[in-house]
Amino acid sequence: MSAEFRVVPFAGLPDYSEERRLQCSRDFLLLMQGRRTIRDFSSRSVDRNIIENAVQTAGLAPSGANKQPWHFAIVSNPEMKRKIREAAEIEEEEFYAGKAGEVWLKDLAPLGTDPNKPFLEIAPYLIVVFQQNYDIDSNTGDKIKHYYIQESVGLACGFLITALHNAGLATLTHTPSPMGFLRDLLGRPKHEKPVMIIVAGHPSETATVPEEALNKKSLDVITTWFD
């Protein structure tokens, strides 16, 4: 064992009764059952501290060898949001023109999506999530290896979306393909790869969700128990 590796006592969980744990699990399930992807956002402002807290929560996600292979570029500047929208819509035009393929477009049809992405300008915050394929030692310039990168970043994104929903904010995960333009626009290094844009803010007063989006697979479909 490395001489630098040390441990401290674990004291992170409340000492709940089983009844309290069950109630907490029910309360959280009810909270998350109300989460929906929103595409119609209001320009209503959001306290920056809420976003900071949510991103800090994302940074607590587990990761391979605790390398934390993520970076969050948080965009509220109107001009930068405009540039992101323009670049994203160029990619989306090609996607909906046939690049996605007939089956994919058919699956998207009930959701009512199209190449126009006004939410990228309207919503107060765009959180662009990058995966770090490796890191750079600031002293030596050497590469630092990362592990289970996609899995780790996926966990962090889940934490982030949940934290934003818990704060009463609407979210949308937007994944234009390809996304290399985001690295260029936001000045991120070549070893970082953009994974998604998480749009965050308040829903517009006329926001709707597709009825089909309300249909989630039941517990018996998504689980297999081995008691």
Side-chain angles (χ1 to χ4, degrees), residues 18-180:
E18 285 301 289
E19 182 180 1
R20 177 71 186 280
R21 289 193 182 96
L22 179 58
Q23 187 60 53
C24 287
S25 70
R26 287 171 176 161
D27 291 344
F28 192 72
L29 173 59
L30 288 173
L31 172 70
M32 295 309 296
Q33 282 177 333
R35 193 211 67 79
R36 292 290 178 269
T37 293
I38 296 296
R39 290 181 172 82
D40 298 314
F41 283 82
S42 163
S43 60
R44 178 181 163 195
S45 64
V46 170
D47 189 326
R48 175 183 171 130
N49 291 311
I50 298 173
I51 303 299
E52 289 182 352
N53 289 337
V55 173
Q56 278 193 294
T57 299
L60 300 175
S63 61
N66 196 34
K67 294 299 184 179
Q68 305 164 60
W70 44 63
H71 185 86
F72 304 90
I74 305 165
V75 181
S76 60
N77 178 273
E79 180 61 17
M80 181 58 74
K81 288 195 294 183
R82 182 188 64 79
K83 290 180 179 179
I84 290 174
R85 177 186 178 181
E86 290 178 350
E89 287 185 341
I90 291 174
E91 304 297 347
E92 292 294 289
E93 287 285 354
E94 295 183 7
F95 179 89
Y96 283 93
K99 181 179 176 182
E102 184 178 346
V103 174
W104 195 346
L105 293 176
K106 182 180 179 181
D107 286 340
L108 286 174
L111 303 179
T113 59
D114 61 38
N116 301 305
K117 308 298 176 185
F119 50 77
L120 293 174
E121 281 193 270
I122 296 172
Y125 282 99
L126 307 180
I127 305 172
V128 184
V129 184
F130 290 85
Q131 69 176 42
Q132 295 180 332
N133 294 321
Y134 55 88
D135 208 350
I136 303 293
D137 188 300
S138 58
N139 295 318
T140 66
D142 294 336
K143 289 184 179 181
I144 300 173
K145 186 174 177 59
H146 284 168
Y147 309 92
Y148 297 105
I149 299 167
Q150 293 180 332
E151 294 87 346
S152 301
V153 175
L155 287 164
C157 289
F159 273 41
L160 178 54
I161 292 168
T162 302
L164 292 167
H165 178 69
N166 184 60
L169 294 179
T171 57
L172 166 69
T173 53
H174 182 50
T175 53
S177 179
M179 287 188 273

Side-chain angles (χ1 to χ4, degrees), residues 147-225:
Y147 309 92
Y148 297 105
I149 299 167
Q150 293 180 332
E151 294 87 346
S152 301
V153 175
L155 287 164
C157 289
F159 273 41
L160 178 54
I161 292 168
T162 302
L164 292 167
H165 178 69
N166 184 60
L169 294 179
T171 57
L172 166 69
T173 53
H174 182 50
T175 53
S177 179
M179 287 188 273
F181 68 88
L182 291 167
R183 182 175 54 219
D184 297 336
L185 282 175
L186 298 171
R188 299 308 304 165
K190 65 180 182 179
H191 63 276
E192 292 187 0
K193 177 183 177 181
V195 173
M196 70 177 69
I197 303 171
I198 296 179
V199 185
H202 298 282
S204 72
E205 293 183 358
T206 58
T208 60
V209 295
E211 185 176 12
E212 185 162 314
L214 303 177
N215 300 324
K216 300 299 182 181
K217 294 179 180 178
S218 62
L219 183 64
D220 64 310
V221 172
I222 65 172
T223 59
T224 302
W225 295 72

